[in-house]
Amino acid sequence: MDTIAAIATPLARSAFGIIRLSGPDALAILDKLFTPVGGRPISEARPRSMVYGTLRDAQGRVIDRPLAVWFAPGKSYTGDCDAEIHCHGSPVVLNEALAAAFAAGARQAQPGEFAKRAFLNGKLDLTEAEGIVDLVDAETAEAARNAALQVDGALRRIAEDAYDKLLGVTSRFYAVVDYPDEDVADASPAETEAALAEIERVLSELLATYARGKIVKSGVATAIVGAPNAGKSSLLNRLVGYDRAIVTDVAGTTRDTVEEKAVVGGVLLRLIDTAGLRDTEDAVEKLGVERSRRAVESADLILALFDESADFTSDDVRGQWSETLRLVQDAGKPWIFVATKKDLVGESASIRPAGEDAPPYVELSNVTGEGFDELEAAVATLFPAPPAESGTMLTNARQAEAVGRALGAVREALGALRGGMTPDVVLTEAEAASNALGELTGRTAREDMVARIFERFCVGK
């Protein structure tokens, strides 16, 4: 096995940066590069103990005076011998330190190679590894909490419990078939059905978490629509905290969709500022309006903006409002009626929608900030957070697909059992469910699948 090395921190000016090494020669390489202040080799220092000293390149020139630490095989992140050098955070220093490690015998680590070695050595399962990626990429507190608990094994424990129950079902079948002369009590159909029904319930509940898991990880695609000059770009800028979109008094300024992310009501929104909805002869603006319609079709949430200060008696205004309402209502997506420019009207203009199917209603001002608390509350109500400390949400398509296949196989096994089919049919489906759950955790995952998962990691992780 090669010894690998990589810069584990962003290559930018900072207080400190870390070089990681892992492999059979990690400690020997560290001994070549690093001299503790006491003069004794760091290999004689206790593992997991930070040591101060001098870092030199292959020619013996001083690179930095950093801290270093090493981890014994079996008690490290990867399961192999690991080492870290904590340098000052200069990109030049970090690159020089990495070059020195290469000169001493290490090679460049590939993306995710440290975590992949941890998986191959049994230190992580695939759900925990994916939790690490989610933790690094987390953009909300909820995403970070869920990922941290997944790294701690919350999802793995559910999958392993279901796997063990399926193993109990299949092993009883095999014992009876393979050892007919032994006194092995066959599980009654009622016992088998109860076990499979419980597994079905657990997997069904787990699969249902994927809808929220996608939101937590990737955010809610949110189209901001309305007539020209309704305040769409101003709302986007206010939510993201800087002037992302051009705002002018000229109608039709936005010709193309503008996308940004913002956390609103604790929910990550992928905001899409769209061109104003109106009839126009301008060829470029027409393309923008068409893209606005497509944004609505692909959105998970629509913020429909209506200018409270507009002249309600104007045919143009009524037509534009009708066009916005028709587009939003035909989309059939969750939406919020946002009355804008409240600072210009004083009293409410009474444009609030009525009826049992009326959407959440918010009056706000992009100038004063009034009404933004109500907007956050409306978003949080439409996308409520799951119970705290869950850590069991499925957050990617691979996980959902594996659980979906396992659930389908368990349901087929139940159907076969209840339909009086032969035990081998039940056994085949139960084994298919076990294999699918094995893919979820990595027990039965193919090599190409494992490689693709770890390619998502950054170098040094």
Side-chain angles (χ1 to χ4, degrees):
M1 178 186 291
D2 293 339
T3 296
I4 56 176
I7 300 171
T9 46
L11 199 58
R13 184 182 177 192
S14 59
F16 67 90
I18 299 174
I19 304 293
R20 300 182 74 184
L21 300 104
S22 180
D25 297 326
L27 188 54
I29 291 173
L30 185 61
D31 267 338
K32 292 179 183 179
L33 305 180
F34 180 81
T35 304
V37 289
R40 298 173 61 188
I42 190 171
S43 56
E44 295 182 11
R46 288 184 305 167
R48 301 190 181 190
S49 299
M50 280 286 189
V51 178
Y52 177 64
T54 303
L55 180 68
R56 290 183 168 85
D57 63 15
Q59 287 73 45
R61 296 171 298 193
V62 175
I63 298 174
D64 193 8
R65 298 193 183 278
L67 295 167
V69 60
W70 68 280
F71 304 87
K75 296 184 179 181
S76 67
Y77 172 71
T78 66
D80 298 324
C81 181
D82 289 359
E84 293 180 0
I85 306 170
H86 292 233
C87 303
H88 289 93
S90 161
V92 173
V93 169
L94 292 171
N95 278 316
E96 286 294 308
L98 187 61
F102 294 158
R107 68 162 173 82
Q108 174 66 57
Q110 299 302 309
E113 192 166 2
F114 290 93
K116 185 177 181 180
R117 289 189 175 192
F119 166 71
L120 294 175
N121 288 330
K123 305 293 284 187
L124 294 173
D125 84 315
L126 288 187
T127 65
E128 291 164 342
E130 288 171 319
I132 292 171
V133 176
D134 289 352
L135 189 57
V136 172
D137 293 341
E139 297 183 77
T140 65
E142 182 186 354
R145 284 192 297 268
N146 186 77
L149 289 167
Q150 193 162 313
V151 171
D152 195 42
L155 180 55
R156 172 185 54 79
R157 286 188 286 273
I158 290 179
E160 289 291 322
D161 184 62
Y163 184 94
D164 289 343
K165 285 184 169 66
L166 283 167
L167 188 61
V169 170
T170 57
S171 62
R172 292 289 288 273
F173 275 110
Y174 276 121
V176 171
V177 171
D178 293 344
Y179 303 99
D181 296 331
E182 299 293 333
D183 187 19
V184 179
D186 190 8
S188 70
E191 290 176 332
T192 303
E193 182 177 354
L196 291 173
E198 173 61 15
I199 297 168
E200 179 192 28
R201 182 191 65 78
V202 170
L203 295 183
S204 180
E205 291 178 356
L206 183 58
L207 187 60
T209 67
Y210 183 45
R212 180 66 189 185
K214 285 191 296 183
I215 291 173
V216 168
K217 182 176 179 181
S218 303
V220 178
T222 306
I224 306 174
V225 302
N229 274 356
K232 300 183 296 298
S233 296
S234 295
L235 176 61
L236 175 78
N237 290 344
R238 183 91 188 193
L239 290 175
V240 302
Y242 69 99
D243 291 340
R244 173 65 176 85
I246 297 173
V247 177
T248 74
D249 293 332
V250 179
T253 302
T254 302
R255 301 297 187 93
D256 201 352
T257 54
V258 178
E259 300 188 24
E260 267 297 342
K261 293 180 180 179
V263 178
V264 180
V267 181
L268 179 65
L269 302 186
R270 291 188 285 112
L271 299 164
I272 309 168
D273 180 21
T274 64
L277 300 172
R278 67 170 176 176
D279 292 328
T280 178
E281 297 303 318
D282 186 300
V284 177
E285 191 175 354
K286 278 185 176 180
L287 289 174
V289 172
E290 179 56 34
R291 290 189 178 187
S292 299
R293 298 181 190 280
R294 291 202 297 269
V296 168
E297 292 173 0
S298 61
D300 302 310
L301 171 66
I302 303 168
L303 302 182
L305 273 57
F306 300 88
D307 180 359
E308 279 199 292
S309 68
D311 181 4
F312 302 138
T313 64
S314 165
D315 289 340
D316 283 344
V317 171
R318 289 201 301 270
Q320 291 167 1
W321 282 30
S322 296
E323 173 68 12
T324 301
L325 281 171
R326 182 167 56 252
L327 177 65
V328 171
Q329 291 170 343
D330 289 348
K333 309 286 181 67
W335 67 291
I336 300 174
F337 191 112
V338 182
T340 61
K341 304 186 182 181
K342 182 171 176 56
D343 55 294
L344 298 181
V345 298
E347 295 296 326
S348 174
S350 300
I351 60 174
R352 187 180 190 124
E356 293 182 359
D357 297 329
Y361 174 79
V362 175
E363 287 183 297
L364 56 77
S365 166
N366 291 316
V367 175
T368 67
E370 181 181 3
F372 276 81
D373 287 345
E374 287 75 10
L375 178 60
E376 295 214 7
V379 171
T381 299
L382 288 174
F383 298 94
E389 301 296 307
S390 65
T392 57
M393 285 187 291
L394 303 178
T395 56
N396 63 60
R398 185 198 77 84
Q399 293 174 350
E401 193 273 338
V403 174
R405 277 192 290 114
L407 178 59
V410 169
R411 285 173 173 167
E412 289 292 330
L414 273 171
L417 185 65
R418 291 165 177 166
M421 300 185 73
T422 55
D424 60 300
V425 177
V426 179
L427 177 62
T428 298
E429 296 298 342
E431 287 187 323
S434 296
N435 287 334
L437 286 177
E439 288 184 20
L440 175 64
T441 60
R443 279 178 180 260
T444 59
R446 303 187 312 273
E447 185 175 343
D448 59 336
M449 178 190 299
V450 172
R452 181 168 297 181
I453 289 171
F454 288 101
E455 285 172 358
R456 297 167 50 209
F457 285 65
C458 56
V459 174
K461 194 60 182 168

